[in-house]
Amino acid sequence: MSITGATLSVVALVFCGNSPFSNEDPVLRRLVFTLNSQHYHPREINDEFAAQVFENIFDNLDGNKQFFTQEDVNQFSKSKNRIDDEINAGQLTFFDSVWSTLMQRLDKIEPEILSNLERPLDYDKHVQFEVSIENKSYQKDINALMDYWHRWTRYQVVDRLYRKQKQQKDLEKSKKDSATEIKILPFDTLELKARNETKKFVQSWFKRWRKMDRQDQISFYGNTISEIFDPHTN
């Protein structure tokens, strides 16, 4: 069967089941059965496969390494060899544990970040933040992760503020050559706008994560598994 045919079969099985999703659901068993019986490149569900699923879970959930710590990954790594057994049994225990940790992180990070954005930042303070995500490592622990988020938030505000100030300078230049009155906003107003925009961005981002219901989670995990067969099967 072609890749496309295999993909369609997987989708049909994942979404046509009538039973409710639970920690033990036949969806994963049907998914693996379909992949191995109809995919052009079947895979044995063993510890090697489990290691790839483990890697995919964290890459797909947290590719920028913003929510999980190295401590988290080390702890979850102790159980990664059971992933293949769970998949064959249609169990979601490992994935649910990772997902639960992600939700806990959202609940810890969001209120602290939003609280920090309620007041002007100290712009005289020198803070470094590396924007590039190439070769990025997990933060060591939760304290290091929260420090990262403080610096990330600061960067987001400063970047928005810088662009607003640049826009104001451009307006001031054009004002000299224009008969139309152009309102130049003071720094405090621009700074408040930058913080509010950052706040809305964070709230929208975290809200999208929380809106993922059980079916979305199953779909995510199904894709995490199926893309190991090849990148076009989902």
Side-chain angles (χ1 to χ4, degrees):
M1 177 177 283
S2 67
I3 295 177
T4 303
T7 301
L8 290 175
S9 295
V10 172
V11 171
L13 280 175
V14 170
F15 290 103
C16 289
N18 292 322
S19 59
F21 292 119
S22 64
N23 184 257
E24 296 186 16
D25 193 272
V27 167
L28 290 182
R29 289 197 298 271
R30 294 201 299 266
L31 170 67
V32 173
F33 172 80
T34 303
L35 285 167
N36 275 325
S37 63
Q38 299 190 36
H39 198 276
Y40 77 97
H41 181 50
R43 296 286 306 273
E44 183 179 354
I45 311 302
N46 53 20
D47 286 350
E48 181 183 350
F49 187 88
Q52 290 181 278
V53 173
F54 178 89
E55 192 172 315
N56 270 9
I57 287 175
F58 288 97
D59 282 348
N60 294 343
L61 277 179
D62 190 21
N64 291 338
K65 298 178 173 60
Q66 293 177 288
F67 297 108
F68 296 103
T69 67
Q70 189 60 55
E71 282 186 351
D72 295 328
V73 176
N74 292 344
Q75 187 64 33
F76 282 121
S77 183
K78 297 175 182 177
S79 305
K80 71 178 178 181
N81 286 342
R82 79 179 192 214
I83 295 175
D84 54 321
D85 300 321
E86 290 185 3
I87 291 173
N88 285 322
Q91 296 175 341
L92 298 150
T93 308
F94 182 85
F95 175 76
D96 283 343
S97 180
V98 175
W99 186 268
S100 176
T101 300
L102 173 62
M103 293 299 106
Q104 291 171 20
R105 287 297 148 77
L106 298 183
D107 291 341
K108 179 173 180 59
I109 293 167
E110 185 176 23
E112 185 162 343
I113 295 306
L114 296 183
S115 175
N116 290 343
L117 290 170
E118 289 297 323
R119 54 191 178 277
L121 304 181
D122 179 4
Y123 294 98
D124 293 326
K125 185 178 180 181
H126 178 70
V127 177
Q128 287 187 318
F129 180 76
E130 186 176 350
V131 179
S132 174
I133 62 173
E134 293 183 8
N135 302 318
K136 184 176 179 181
S137 301
Y138 289 104
Q139 301 298 322
K140 180 181 69 172
D141 53 27
I142 190 64
N143 290 330
L145 183 67
M146 294 310 298
D147 177 68
Y148 163 86
W149 273 96
H150 288 303
R151 289 182 287 111
W152 177 91
T153 306
R154 185 181 185 84
Y155 165 75
Q156 294 293 324
V157 174
V158 169
D159 181 59
R160 287 176 170 84
L161 179 57
Y162 168 78
R163 286 187 274 116
K164 291 181 185 302
Q165 288 180 306
K166 185 177 183 304
Q167 187 179 40
Q168 288 288 287
K169 290 181 180 179
D170 293 340
L171 284 174
E172 287 178 331
K173 290 179 182 179
S174 63
K175 184 178 180 181
K176 298 176 182 178
D177 305 320
S178 174
T180 305
E181 183 177 350
I182 300 174
K183 185 177 182 181
I184 303 300
L185 300 176
F187 174 85
D188 290 349
T189 300
L190 297 178
E191 197 273 343
L192 178 59
K193 284 179 175 288
R195 281 189 287 117
N196 285 339
E197 287 177 8
T198 303
K199 185 188 303 183
K200 289 179 181 179
F201 175 77
V202 171
Q203 289 173 319
S204 176
W205 180 13
F206 284 33
K207 183 179 180 180
R208 287 196 299 273
W209 274 116
R210 292 192 177 98
K211 283 181 66 176
M212 290 182 68
D213 59 20
R214 191 56 168 168
Q215 181 166 315
D216 294 327
Q217 295 167 34
I218 297 290
S219 297
F220 178 92
Y221 193 35
N223 286 331
T224 297
I225 294 169
S226 62
E227 67 185 21
I228 294 173
F229 286 74
D230 78 88
H232 305 289
T233 300
N234 54 43

